[in-house]
Amino acid sequence: MSDQHHASGGYDPAEVERKWQARWDEQGTNRWTDAGLRAAERPYYNLMMFPYPSAEGLHVGNIYAFTGADIHGRFKRLQGYDVFQPIGFDAFGIHSENFALKLGIHPMELIPRNVERFRTQLRRVGLMYDWDHTVDTTTPDYYRWTQWIFLQLYQHGLAVKKEAPVNWCPSCNTVLANEQVIAGECERCGSVVEMRFLSQWFFRITEYAGKLLENLGWMDWSDSTRKAQENWIGRSEGAELHFPIARRRAAEDRHQPAAIEPEKPVIRVFTTRPDTVFGATYLVLAPEHPLVERITAPERREAVEAYRRQVAGQDLVTRKKTDKGKTGVDTGGRAVNPATGEEIPVWIADYVLMEYGTGAIMAVPGHDQRDFEFATQFGLPVVRVVAGPGEDADTPLAEAYTDNQAGRLVSSGRFDGLGHRAGCDAIVAWLAERGLAERRVNYRLHDWTISRQRYWGPPIPVLYCDACGIVPVPEDQLPVELPHIDDFRPDASGISPLARHEEWYRVDCPACGGRARRETDVSDTFLDSAWYFLRYPSVGYAQVPFDPELTRRWLPVTSYIGGNEHAVLHLLYARFVTMALRDMGHLHFEEPFVRFRAHGLIVREGAKMSKSRGNVVVPDDFIAAWGADAFRTFLMFLGPYEEGGDFRDEGVSGPYHFLTRLWDAVLTSTERPLDPAVEQKLHATIKKVTEDLEALSYNTAIAAMMEYLNAVRAGGRTPERGAVEPLVRLVAPFAPHLAEELWERLGHARSLFDEAEWPGYDPAKAVADTVEFVVQVNGKVRARLPLRRGIGEAEARDAALGDENVRRWLDGGKQVRKVVFVPDRLVNLVVG
RNA sequence: GCGAAAGUGGCGGAAUGGUAGACGCGCUGGUCUUAGGAACCAGUGGCUCCGGCCGUGGGGGUUCGAAUCCCCCCUUUCGCACCA
């Protein structure tokens, strides 16, 4: 890759791009003043997911994402919208901190350096950002409001502190997110991860589970993202059933029905199959279930304790593996099946999770495969209570019968014969009469743990007072600044590095003036990114997180583009925070991103890019060699934007070649009337490109422009000025520098993006007068005839029958039985 | 296991019921050039007895007509995963 590409026609991308980037900077192109934002008439908030400024610099995946979004923004701007397109830096978090640790540089030094590098690189790509409205989540004037959001949630009962299990890496001395634990091991050092119980702050996102799910129904989102979120929230409809704990009695009495005593404690289970309750032959509790102590029989205590210890020593990921076989122990305790009145054993097993449902299940081995495996392994009874077609209550079960469509209840007393739906309704109603059941909807979504025992994040703004307990930091004392400490490395204690600095955490209680200490954990990075889009328009306002008037004008976000890797994290958290703030009266809308599009992933030579494979694209090299415009166009040409593409290095020459040919065509064009065929093609191309840009079909838009340019230059003809000038505007979103330069050379004084309009087209002119008709005989193409547009069926048929080749296929006295006519396209002669 | 997407030339991909392979890469031949590159022109799915025939993962179906719709199967990728 050298300067040799630039031999032809004088197109020198490096020079053009330097010139226009400097000019955009000088003239403040794309930047809004506060007054401008307030007065905007057609606001279009074009948002893209802000990057985490890694030390490696801008990744080609970032550029792919940003370029696609930038093209959308530039397109909308040319269409006359007031496009607000900001960018920022998601610079807090474990990723950044780990990198700082690795390099031995303090994050307060390293991060600003990375941010600077990112700014430079982003400019170099020609992205249309409003550099006067950027956010950096690590600055006190930003995280002051992150802390404010925490306090709002706390005051509304949506932030609570409770003990919870977390993944702990004994070698890195830190809590790990579930995503950072690979097959039970730390993703960074390979140590086996332990489970620890720590007191954590949680956001009660589950309060909004129903709303979060429901709104997905009407939002204009990529289907893949919507589905991922639906799965994650995981709604299950069913019932909570109560199994009274049985009084301890002699074994020989147990076959007698037990009296259910209402005041006795019950074991609550959640089930989606209450219809199968007659087949519940035992219960299983999560090992951590609070009732385990109480029900365990004295002679089983030792075994139960041993099992609980074993499970506690396991990391969460290993525990949730499905292929390791079932383990569990009998507690010796017994409960009463509320339907049959029989006493059944109570077990504990690690396949029952405390955090889902009630932490206890009724096991129906006949009709649940997991229960079936467990029952088989431990010799527990299997009872059939659902029979499929051709089966009855005595048909043996080789595996669980789980069909809830065809099955009918058997051995279920007066409910025999009912189907799944009716069975559930009837049985729940029957048990509910005695207070032993209630309908219930359960969600898989868990509350969001936001505590991080790390340094690099916003301190959680609460105090613990010896006298008053938990005391929120008063709003007027925000931000709680993150102090500069040198020993920011986390250690084995399970508490934050800030907890080693008494001079920082020792404070007086703002309520009573007594001794208090600050919370020393910081909050999750995902809280920083859960509200950044609210801040952008109000950057610079020190007294409010988001100005009400600006927010009303610019939010919710008009268009959001980002990666599907955040389908269930960032996008869910941002929705939750928005809903909560709305319910508190701070916002006028409930959904922040009404339209969201997920872009695809770039692979290289068919393989995922990774440092270990050594196949990572270094964008700077490509930009230096071919220019940002060619690189942008190339990336968008790889494949459908929403599906990603395969990066092959040689491929960049195609789009580069296109831009060079466009450059030559514009500069050699002459002022003269348009050839009618060219004019028709021009209108068709404008139509195609406009529609494709609207749909983010960038690859086909580029193909259409290439095709048009080929037609304009066909056979080495000199292009008409009027044929290429609109093409400069069409290509501008993709290759903005080149377009600006050509626009200027065409005699315009101001920036194309300030002055030009998106080209319009005349639908009547977008179609040719003559169309190529396909003539088929029995569905096979036998001729192609140029015919007048709009021709009628009779005329088209006659023309087809007049064709020599077609006649050959009709030889032998075959009768035309039917004529299929598709206007302006095809005639199919069906012969018998 | 559940959910989603996808399978088309040597390669990336286009076509969502009507001309399969647009556009580009690569390749072949030519022009120009001391040469290489660049640029430009022409060609490029397979087979062919030059009439055509075959061809969109495999098999079946609907239709005048199927890459596209329906059924069965195979493969790949991604997400979730003992969620009761």
Side-chain angles (χ1 to χ4, degrees):
Chain A
M1 289 177 219
S2 70
D3 291 336
Q4 282 178 5
H5 312 291
H6 311 145
S8 159
Y11 172 45
D12 180 352
E15 190 192 313
V16 170
E17 290 169 13
R18 209 176 302 122
K19 168 179 167 182
W20 286 97
Q21 282 161 18
R23 191 169 299 180
W24 292 333
D25 266 356
E26 275 160 32
Q27 303 188 344
T29 314
N30 313 319
R31 300 189 188 195
W32 287 93
T33 60
D34 188 62
L37 281 177
R38 284 176 189 280
E41 279 168 20
R42 298 179 71 193
Y44 196 101
Y45 189 166
N46 188 47
L47 184 71
M48 57 204 83
M49 288 181 181
F50 66 163
Y52 131 71
S54 75
E56 289 95 349
L58 205 54
H59 183 264
V60 69
N62 296 136
I63 299 183
Y64 185 70
F66 297 155
T67 300
D70 185 60
I71 287 166
H72 185 69
R74 289 183 182 274
F75 169 56
K76 288 291 154 188
R77 173 155 171 169
L78 286 167
Q79 283 188 324
Y81 289 95
D82 294 322
V83 176
F84 177 50
Q85 184 172 300
I87 192 71
F89 304 95
D90 189 15
F92 263 143
I94 293 181
H95 258 97
S96 302
E97 185 181 318
N98 284 351
F99 212 87
L101 283 167
K102 194 169 140 194
L103 296 185
I105 302 173
H106 196 280
M108 284 188 177
E109 241 175 85
L110 181 66
I111 296 303
R113 223 191 275 174
N114 291 351
V115 166
E116 258 335 289
R117 169 124 190 261
F118 262 62
R119 284 176 187 269
T120 307
Q121 286 184 309
L122 291 168
R123 275 193 171 80
R124 192 67 195 83
V125 178
L127 298 160
M128 181 182 82
Y129 292 129
D130 184 337
W131 291 109
D132 292 334
H133 290 87
T134 64
V135 302
D136 173 341
T137 55
T138 66
T139 56
D141 66 346
Y142 183 84
Y143 70 72
R144 165 184 188 177
W145 301 112
T146 307
Q147 293 171 337
W148 175 84
I149 287 173
F150 177 95
L151 293 179
Q152 293 298 309
L153 293 170
Y154 176 77
Q155 278 148 19
H156 289 82
L158 291 168
V160 294
K161 199 166 195 213
K162 59 186 178 187
E163 184 133 301
V166 292
N167 295 299
W168 181 263
C169 174
S171 155
C172 301
N173 292 323
T174 176
V175 166
L176 299 175
N178 269 357
E179 297 77 20
Q180 292 169 310
V181 181
I182 312 294
E185 296 175 353
C186 172
E187 70 165 348
R188 288 201 300 138
C189 69
S191 315
V192 174
V193 174
E194 303 163 355
M195 188 165 87
R196 283 196 181 185
F197 274 81
L198 293 175
S199 189
Q200 307 265 295
W201 281 98
F202 283 84
F203 284 165
R204 297 178 59 198
I205 189 171
T206 50
E207 288 284 300
Y208 284 87
K211 196 74 173 166
L212 287 165
L213 189 67
E214 187 187 311
N215 285 1
L216 287 173
W218 58 261
M219 296 193 306
D220 178 15
W221 274 28
S222 287
D223 224 47
S224 53
T225 316
R226 193 205 332 269
K227 280 271 153 48
Q229 230 175 68
E230 274 170 16
N231 263 334
W232 187 264
I233 297 169
R235 181 179 200 273
S236 299
E237 222 170 286
E240 197 172 291
L241 306 184
H242 301 179
F243 285 67
I245 293 171
R247 193 162 30 87
R248 234 171 274 294
R249 327 187 257 174
E252 58 273 20
D253 295 336
R254 284 180 186 156
H255 61 272
Q256 299 293 328
I260 293 173
E261 302 158 54
E263 72 280 6
K264 275 282 214 180
V266 296
I267 297 172
R268 293 156 180 269
V269 305
F270 174 72
T271 177
T272 54
R273 295 296 305 272
D275 53 329
T276 62
V277 64
F278 283 84
T281 52
Y282 60 100
L283 299 185
V284 188
L285 308 189
E288 307 87 348
H289 196 288
L291 284 174
V292 172
E293 291 281 329
R294 177 170 188 155
I295 56 166
T296 299
E299 69 276 14
R300 299 295 304 153
R301 190 157 301 275
E302 203 174 316
V304 166
E305 286 310 319
Y307 185 74
R308 293 179 90 184
R309 274 196 304 276
Q310 179 202 325
V311 172
Q314 254 175 16
D315 65 281
L316 293 173
V317 172
T318 303
R319 171 163 174 184
K320 290 186 178 186
K321 272 209 162 126
T322 57
D323 51 7
K324 69 180 195 309
K326 299 260 183 301
T327 62
V329 296
D330 187 350
T331 62
R334 298 179 75 85
V336 179
N337 181 321
T340 62
E342 279 169 34
E343 274 190 32
I344 55 174
V346 180
W347 286 58
I348 58 174
D350 69 351
Y351 81 93
V352 175
L353 309 173
M354 194 57 221
E355 66 265 26
Y356 184 76
T358 59
I361 61 158
M362 66 173 195
V364 184
H367 307 287
D368 181 284
Q369 192 55 32
R370 294 156 304 184
D371 297 343
F372 185 86
E373 283 165 24
F374 192 84
T376 308
Q377 192 168 334
F378 293 104
L380 289 157
V382 179
V383 173
R384 178 189 276 279
V385 292
V386 181
E391 297 177 329
D392 61 27
D394 299 323
T395 311
L397 285 156
E399 55 175 7
Y401 178 81
T402 56
D403 188 337
N404 63 12
Q405 300 293 317
R408 292 285 171 275
L409 289 179
V410 293
S411 305
S412 298
R414 60 177 164 117
F415 303 102
D416 282 0
L418 294 179
H420 166 63
R421 191 81 242 163
C424 287
D425 291 346
I427 290 177
V428 172
W430 172 62
L431 292 176
E433 279 171 27
R434 290 181 289 152
L436 294 172
E438 55 208 72
R439 293 192 162 283
R440 172 95 181 255
V441 170
N442 237 321
Y443 296 94
R444 245 181 46 184
L445 185 69
H446 295 353
D447 279 339
W448 170 17
T449 331
I450 62 127
S451 297
R452 294 292 178 272
Q453 294 71 36
R454 299 289 297 232
Y455 168 66
W456 193 233
I460 292 173
V462 297
L463 306 167
Y464 303 99
C465 169
D466 293 347
C468 317
I470 295 175
V471 180
V473 173
E475 264 182 45
D476 60 10
Q477 290 176 27
L478 296 182
V480 177
E481 282 208 41
L482 182 69
H484 189 298
I485 60 171
D486 289 323
D487 54 337
F488 60 91
R489 183 176 292 273
D491 70 15
S493 61
I495 52 173
S496 161
L498 290 176
R500 295 192 285 257
H501 288 263
E502 188 167 3
E503 78 284 359
W504 180 76
Y505 69 69
R506 185 57 64 198
V507 287
D508 295 337
C509 173
C512 70
R515 269 169 66 88
R517 63 176 280 157
R518 292 190 187 280
E519 166 69 64
T520 51
D521 285 354
V522 299
S523 60
D524 184 5
T525 336
F526 279 108
L527 181 57
D528 307 328
S529 57
W531 75 282
Y532 75 109
F533 51 92
L534 298 173
R535 182 63 180 166
Y536 279 140
S538 305
V539 162
Y541 281 79
Q543 299 313 311
V544 288
F546 37 86
D547 174 79
E549 192 191 323
L550 285 168
T551 303
R552 197 161 275 280
R553 181 159 301 248
W554 285 95
L555 283 134
V557 168
T558 318
S559 167
Y560 196 19
I561 289 178
N564 246 347
E565 68 272 17
H566 290 122
V568 293
L569 294 168
H570 160 63
L571 285 173
L572 196 64
Y573 298 150
R575 294 182 62 212
F576 160 67
V577 166
T578 302
M579 279 180 192
L581 290 174
R582 209 267 328 219
D583 287 353
M584 296 169 199
H586 296 299
L587 294 173
H588 64 283
F589 54 93
E590 154 171 298
E591 287 293 342
F593 320 122
V594 171
R595 176 183 139 114
F596 174 76
R597 291 291 176 273
H599 60 75
L601 293 177
I602 295 292
V603 298
R604 193 184 205 182
E605 314 280 336
K608 220 179 213 168
M609 269 184 249
S610 70
K611 263 186 281 180
S612 54
R613 277 199 189 84
N615 67 343
V616 177
V617 174
V618 182
D620 306 46
D621 294 350
F622 275 85
I623 291 174
W626 302 92
D629 283 336
F631 192 59
R632 288 166 61 110
T633 311
F634 171 52
L635 286 175
M636 295 302 109
F637 189 58
L638 289 177
Y641 184 61
E642 291 176 77
E643 288 167 35
D646 190 355
F647 192 104
R648 284 174 197 264
D649 295 13
E650 324 84 72
V652 68
S653 64
Y656 177 79
H657 188 203
F658 163 65
L659 297 181
T660 307
R661 280 161 54 89
L662 173 61
W663 174 276
D664 289 345
V666 172
L667 297 183
T668 58
S669 62
T670 59
E671 203 72 65
R672 65 180 203 280
L674 280 184
D675 176 275
V678 169
E679 185 183 29
Q680 180 268 314
K681 186 95 181 152
L682 171 63
H683 284 265
T685 302
I686 295 172
K687 179 173 191 290
K688 170 81 176 151
V689 173
T690 306
E691 288 166 0
D692 280 354
L693 254 58
E694 207 67 67
L696 309 188
S697 299
Y698 297 143
N699 57 329
T700 51
I702 294 165
M705 290 188 282
M706 288 173 166
E707 202 179 329
Y708 174 65
L709 183 62
N710 289 344
V712 166
R713 297 180 40 129
R717 73 192 281 281
T718 302
E720 304 92 326
R721 175 68 45 94
V724 291
E725 188 275 342
L727 187 54
V728 170
R729 287 180 277 157
L730 292 181
V731 87
F734 295 89
H737 314 85
L738 171 120
E740 287 272 36
E741 179 66 24
L742 291 175
W743 185 253
E744 185 180 69
R745 293 194 187 204
L746 285 169
H748 300 278
R750 295 168 56 217
S751 164
L752 182 155
F753 292 96
D754 288 334
E755 189 180 39
E757 279 175 21
W758 188 250
Y761 62 91
D762 179 347
K765 286 189 183 159
V767 290
D769 292 340
T770 311
V771 289
E772 194 174 68
F773 252 81
V774 170
V775 181
Q776 296 180 335
V777 178
N778 284 345
K780 294 221 180 253
V781 179
R782 297 303 178 192
R784 287 148 213 241
L785 305 174
L787 295 176
R788 209 184 64 251
R789 171 167 293 281
I791 197 171
E793 176 171 347
E795 210 181 325
R797 186 195 56 216
D798 290 348
L801 289 170
D803 183 82
E804 202 183 314
N805 198 38
V806 171
R807 269 212 303 273
R808 268 190 332 109
W809 288 94
L810 299 176
D811 269 355
K814 292 175 193 138
Q815 289 299 308
V816 175
R817 285 193 293 124
K818 183 176 172 187
V819 178
V820 178
F821 176 71
V822 182
D824 296 332
R825 283 219 124 132
L826 141 156
V827 177
N828 186 13
L829 305 171
V830 185
V831 300

